Amino acid sequence: MPLIPEEPQIHESAQGPRATPASGRTAPTPRPVPGPRPAAPSRPGRPGPPRPAPPAQRTSREAAAPAATPGPSHPSAAADGPQIQLIPASVEGALDAAEEAVDLLLDSGRAPGDVLVITTGEQHPWATHELSFGEASYWAQHDAGDDVFYTDAQVADRARTRPVVVVAVNGGPESVTASALKSAHARAGALLIVCGDPQRINSVLGAGV
């Protein structure tokens, strides 16, 4: 069943605050589920200086997002599959929307190792930086499973299942987008967040994931 954009919200079994849709380069403010999960201090950030120094790390904020009236579950969320949340964003703003979603997930108490981010177009700067040192080192960080991991739709099938998968539909042909959404749905244990143009996403999904 196609995704039907609603008031953007990020939720699981318990639902959190509503969000504001993204426009252009401005990232939306999705609200992840606050929960009693142990938080980790940092996640991969934008590329830093060449090794031996690692890419810049960005520490997650300590305060969780304030509570608000819960919204309805997304109609495309299957009872036996992950909750699916669509965050409307332009191609240019999809990566920023995904970054904001990850920030808020970490704020809510999600461990960085719970989150996988897949891009359909240009790679996330962290992935580009780490791949410059070789695929072995890059995938070793994925296998460690202790931080947010960013990957490209072309190799997303190699990624393992994580509780939360975020897809940034930031370009690429529709065949790649379709493949990314299929891979993301299969790897999302609890929550799948898709950031992109609702019309394009619905046309790619057709009858559903």
Side-chain angles (χ1 to χ4, degrees), residues 8-103:
Q9 51 187 304
I10 298 176
H11 55 80
E12 298 176 51
S13 57
Q15 297 159 339
R18 297 180 182 275
T20 302
S23 175
R25 292 287 308 174
T26 302
T29 308
R31 297 295 185 208
V33 180
R37 303 182 182 84
S42 65
R43 70 182 181 87
R46 304 277 177 180
R51 289 192 177 182
Q57 296 285 316
R58 184 163 62 190
T59 302
S60 60
R61 296 184 291 273
E62 295 180 357
T69 304
S73 298
H74 197 286
S76 61
D80 59 348
Q83 291 287 323
I84 302 175
Q85 177 60 50
L86 171 62
I87 299 178
S90 66
V91 171
E92 295 79 11
L95 190 55
D96 286 339
E99 284 283 271
E100 182 68 11
V102 172
D103 281 342

Side-chain angles (χ1 to χ4, degrees), residues 136-173:
S137 173
Y138 171 73
W139 286 105
Q141 295 183 64
H142 164 268
D143 294 341
D146 56 6
D147 230 331
V148 180
F149 189 77
Y150 297 83
T151 192
D152 182 84
Q154 303 282 6
V155 293
D157 285 344
R158 185 171 173 179
R160 296 175 180 172
T161 298
R162 291 198 178 192
V164 183
V165 178
V166 181
V167 180
V169 184
N170 62 331

